[in-house]
C-alpha cells in the first residue's frame, strides 16, 4: 500500500511535465493539465462569501497550482523573475527546459527554493486546518447518524454531484426551497452545503450540494477538496445532475463517473445513483411535443390532474430567462471548447462503458420507460429503477428553474433510500456491523540511509489520502530490517532484547523467537541487492522532488534520526512497550508517533511477537477511546470507507 501511496505522492509532487493523454491511466488520478488550472486560477478571485473550509481548500488548491507552476521566467529587461510557465522562457526548478536533471545552479535558485519552502510551510498549515474541519464534519456526520430526525429515523444524506454548471446548486435550492448560492460561474460552489428536505414519505433527508467536477480534475484539487469530496463518499446516496442542454453531455457524464471512482465511491453506490437530466426547459424548446406526450402519459394515467396543473403552472417564465440562458451558453461553450482542445483527445469517450454510451437522443424513449412504466409515482413501489438496474436507465428530467420534475425526483430519492435501507438492514442488521477498529502499522526500512525522508513521505501521503491526524499519531512504527542494522551494533540490541525477555522470565519464548535467527547466509546477499534497488530509486527521487522541502516540512517530533534507534528502542522496549508493561500508558495513542516503535526483522522473525502484542494493545486502547466517544456500537458507519483504503492501495 505504501509503495502505491508513495507513487501517488510522486505523482503529486512531480506532475507530468507534458500532459499525456493517457496519464491518468498510469496514476489512477488525472494529470495536471493547463486548461482547468487556468480556468480555476482566474475564477478563484471572484468567489464571494466562502466559508472557512472552502477558503482553506481553495487556497491550498491555488497553492499547489502555484507550486507546480513556480518557475523562473525571463521578465522585462531580461531579469529573471518568478511567474507562471508560458509567460516567458521557462527555466524550471526541476530543470525542465534547462536540459539538466533536476540540478539547480546559478543565480535565483536560493530564492526559488525559498518560495517553494514557504509554499510548503503554508501548505502544511492549511492541511492541518482542513484536517480540523474534516474531523468536525466526521463528528457531525456520526451525530446525524446517531440521532437522526425527530421521528427517531436515521437522517440520510443525499449528495448532489455533477459536472460544473449542471445546475446542482439551483436544483438543491429548488428542492429545499431555500436559497443557496448559485451562480453561472464555474466552481460557484466550493463548499458543500447541506439543505434539509422533506421527502414525500415524510422522511427527512439532507441534500448536500457539492463542488462541480471538471474533466481531468487536477490531482492537486483532489487533495484540496478532500473535505468536500468526503461528503460524497460518506453520503447515503448520490444524485447525478447532468445539463441535458450541454452538447458534450457524454463527456460530462464519464468525467463525473471517473472522478467518483477515483475518490473512492463504491461501485454499488455509483450504480444506484439517480441521474437527473436538468435544464430540460431548454431542450424542450426544440422538442416540445415529445416531452408533452410523456408528461401527459405520466400524470394522466395517474389521474392526478390537479397535481399536473400545479406542477406545470410554473412553466410560464421563459421571457427573461431565455435571454439569460443565451448568455449562459456563451460562457459554457467558450470554456468547454478550450478544454476540449487541450484535454479530450478522445480518451474520455473511449473509456465509457456501453451502458453509459446512451446518447442524449435517447432521452425521449428512456424517459418514457422510466416515467411511464418504471419510475412513475404510481409504480414507485415496483422494482423499476431499482438499485440492481444499470445507471442511466433510470433518470428524471428536471428543470431546476421551472420546477418540472422536482416532485418526481423527490419520490425517486425516497424510493431509492427505502430500497437501500432495506438492503443495508438485510445484510448488516439495523446497526453497523462493518465497523472495524483499526490501527496502522508504519514499516520503515531501518537500514535505509534516508529513513527520515521515507518517514515524512509516508506521513505526507497518509495525510493526503485523508487519514486523520489522530490515527497517524497512534500509528505503530516498525523499524524493520533490524538484522542488518544489528550487524553493526549488536551489543546494544542484544542488551535490549535481554532486558525485555529476561525481566519477563520467559526464556522459552525467547529461544523460540530467536531460533530462526540463523539464516544470514543467502539473506545478506539478498539484502544488499535490495539496498541497491532502494538507493537507486531514492536518489532519483531526491534529484527530482526533494529540494529540501519534504524534510523541511517535518515536525521536530518527526525528526528523530536513525541514530537514536538504540536509546528510543530501549525506552520503548524496556520501560514502555515491553510485554510486561503493555497495560501501562506507555506507547499510548496520546504519545507522539515514533516515540513508540518496534524493531523487527521480517526475515529473521525478531520483534514479531512484540509487534503483535503492541497492535493488540493499541487496538484495545483505540476501542476504549471509540467506545467512550461513540458508545459500544459503531456510530461511525460509512458504506464506502473501506473502499477508499482499497482504492488507495491499488493505485
Ligand atoms: N434553463 C435552466 N437553467 C438552469 C437550470 N438549472 C440551473 N440553471 C442555470 O445554470 C447555471 C448554473 O447553475 P448552478 O446551480 O450554479 O450550477 P452548479 O452545478 O451548482 O455549478 P457549480 O457549483 O459551479 O459546479 C445558473 O445560471 C442556473 O440558473 C435549469 O433547469 N434550466
Ligand atoms: Mg454549485
Amino acid at each position: 500500500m505504501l509503495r502505491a501511496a508513495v507513487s501517488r505522492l510522486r505523482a503529486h509532487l512531480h506532475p507530468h511535465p507534458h500532459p499525456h493523454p493517457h496519464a491518468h491511466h498510469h496514476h489512477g488520478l488525472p494529470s495536471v493539465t493547463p486548461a482547468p488550472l487556468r480556468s480555476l486560477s482566474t475564477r478563484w478571485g471572484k468567489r464571494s462569501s466562502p466559508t472557512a473550509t472552502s477558503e482553506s481548500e481553495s487556497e491550498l488548491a491555488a497553492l499547489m497550482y502555484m507550486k507546480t507552476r513556480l518557475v523562473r521566467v525571463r521578465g522585462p529587461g531580461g531579469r529573471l523573475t518568478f511567474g507562471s510557465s508560458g509567460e516567458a522562457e521557462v527555466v524550471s526548478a526541476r530543470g525542465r527546459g534547462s536540459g539538466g536533471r533536476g540540478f539547480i545552479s546559478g543565480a535565483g535558485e536560493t530564492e526559488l527554493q525559498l518560495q517553494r519552502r514557504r509554499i510548503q510551510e503554508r501548505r502544511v498549515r492549511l492541511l492541518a486546518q482542513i484536517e480540523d474541519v474534516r474531523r468536525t464534519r466526521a463528528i457531525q456526520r456520526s451525530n446525524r447518524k446517531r440521532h437522526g430526525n425527530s421521528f427517531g429515523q436515521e437522517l440520510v444524506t443525499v449528495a448532489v454531484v455533477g459536472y460544473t454548471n449542471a445546475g446542482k446548486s439551483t436544483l438543491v435550492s429548488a428542492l429545499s426551497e431555500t436559497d443557496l448560492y448559485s451562480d453561472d460561474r464555474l466552481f460557484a460552489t466550493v463548499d458543500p452545503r447541506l439543505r434539509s428536505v422533506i421527502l414525500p414519505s415524510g422522511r427527512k433527508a439532507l441534500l448536500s450540494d457539492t463542488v462541480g467536477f471538471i474533466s481531468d480534475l487536477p490531482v492537486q484539487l483532489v487533495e484540496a477538496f478532500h473535505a468536500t469530496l468526503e461528503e460524497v463518499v460518506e453520503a447515503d446516496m448520490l444524485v447525478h445532475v447532468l445539463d441535458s442542454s450541454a452538447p458534450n453531455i457524454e463527456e460530462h457524464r464519464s468525467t463525473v463517473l471517473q472522478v467518483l471512482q477515483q475518490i473512492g465511491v463504491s461501485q454499488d453506490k455509483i450504480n444506484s445513483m439517480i441521474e437527473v437530466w436538468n435544464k430540460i426547459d431548454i431542450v424542450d424548446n426544440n422538442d416540445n411535443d415529445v416531452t408533452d406526450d410523456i408528461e401527459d402519459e405520466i400524470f394522466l394515467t395517474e389521474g392526478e390532474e390537479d397535481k399536473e396543473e400545479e406542477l406545470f403552472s410554473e412553466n410560464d417564465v421563459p421571457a427573461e430567462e431565455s435571454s439569460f440562458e443565451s448568455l449562459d451558453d456563451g460562457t459554457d461553450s467558450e470554456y468547454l471548447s478550450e478544454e476540449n482542445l487541450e484535454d479530450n483527445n478522445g480518451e474520455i469517450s473511449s473509456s465509457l462503458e456501453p451502458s453509459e454510451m446512451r446518447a442524449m437522443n435517447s432521452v425521449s424513449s428512456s424517459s418514457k420507460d422510466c416515467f411511464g412504466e418504471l419510475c412513475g409515482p404510481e409504480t414507485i413501489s415496483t422494482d423499476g429503477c431499482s438499485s440492481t438496474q444499470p445507471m442511466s436507465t433510470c433518470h428524471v428530467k428536471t428543470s431546476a428553474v421551472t420546477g418540472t420534475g422536482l416532485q418526481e425526483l423527490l419520490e425517486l430519492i425516497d424510493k431509492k433510500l427505502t430500497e437501500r435501507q432495506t438492503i443495508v438492514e438485510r445484510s448488516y442488521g439495523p446497526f453497523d456491523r462493518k465497523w472495524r477498529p483499526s490501527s496502522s502499522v508504519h514499516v520503515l526500512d531501518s537500514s535505509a540511509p534516508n529513513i527520515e525522508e521515507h518517514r515524512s513521505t509516508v506521513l505526507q501521503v497518509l495525510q493526503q489520502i485523508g487519514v486523520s491526524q489522530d490515527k497517524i499519531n497512534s500509528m505503530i512504527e516498525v523499524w524493520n530490517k533490524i538484522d542488518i542494522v544489528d550487524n553493526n551494533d549488536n551489543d546494544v540490541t542484544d542488551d535490549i532484547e535481554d532486558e525485555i525477555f529476561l525481566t519477563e522470565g520467559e526464556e522459552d519464548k525467547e529461544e523460540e523467537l530467536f531460533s530462526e535467527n540463523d539464516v544470514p547466509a543467502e539473506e545478506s546477499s539478498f539484502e544488499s541487492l535490495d539496498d541497491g534497488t532502494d538507493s537507486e530509486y531514492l536518489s532519483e527521487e531526491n534529484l527530482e522532488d526533494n529540494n529540501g522541502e519534504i524534510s523541511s516540512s517535518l515536525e521536530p517530533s518527526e525528526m528523530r534520526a536513525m541514530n537514536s534507534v538504540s536509546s528510543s528502542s530501549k525506552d520503548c522496549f524496556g520501560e514502555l512497550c515491553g510485554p510486561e508493561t503493555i497495560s501501562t500508558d506507555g506507547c499510548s495513542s496520546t504519545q507522539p508517533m515514533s516515540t513508540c516503535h518496534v524493531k523487527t526483522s521480517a526475515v529473521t522473525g525478531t520483534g514479531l511477537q512484540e509487534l503483535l502484542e503492541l497492535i493488540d494493545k493499541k487496538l484495545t486502547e483505540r476501542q476504549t477511546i471509540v467506545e467512550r466517544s461513540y458508545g459500544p456500537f459503531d456510530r461511525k458507519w460509512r458504506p464506502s470507507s473501506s473502499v477508499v483504503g482499497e482504492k488507495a492501495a491499488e493505485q
Side-chain angles (χ1 to χ4, degrees), residues 165 167-170 181-183 185 187-190 209-212:
N165 204 50
K168 297 177 294 298
S169 299
T170 314
Y181 174 68
S182 98
D183 196 308
R185 276 191 267 119
F187 291 90
T189 309
V190 247
D209 182 24
T210 68
V211 180

Side-chain angles (χ1 to χ4, degrees), residues 295-362:
E295 280 157 355
D296 282 355
E297 206 174 309
I298 311 162
F299 295 104
L300 296 178
T301 53
E302 252 192 304
E304 285 187 11
E305 290 81 2
D306 295 347
K307 198 172 170 192
E308 188 192 4
E309 257 186 317
E310 195 185 283
L311 270 165
F312 296 118
S313 61
E314 293 172 78
N315 261 344
D316 316 322
V317 276
E320 75 269 45
E321 194 217 326
S322 60
S323 66
F324 175 67
E325 282 305 327
S326 62
L327 258 175
D328 184 14
D329 271 348
T331 328
D332 255 1
S333 47
E334 185 193 322
Y335 172 73
L336 288 161
S337 60
E338 183 197 344
E339 182 186 272
N340 281 342
L341 272 177
E342 300 195 39
D343 300 328
N344 301 335
N345 299 315
E347 88 230 34
I348 285 187
S349 48
S350 70
S351 71
L352 278 173
E353 293 296 319
S355 71
E356 297 158 20
M357 292 292 275
R358 293 158 182 277
M360 264 317 279
N361 55 18
S362 70

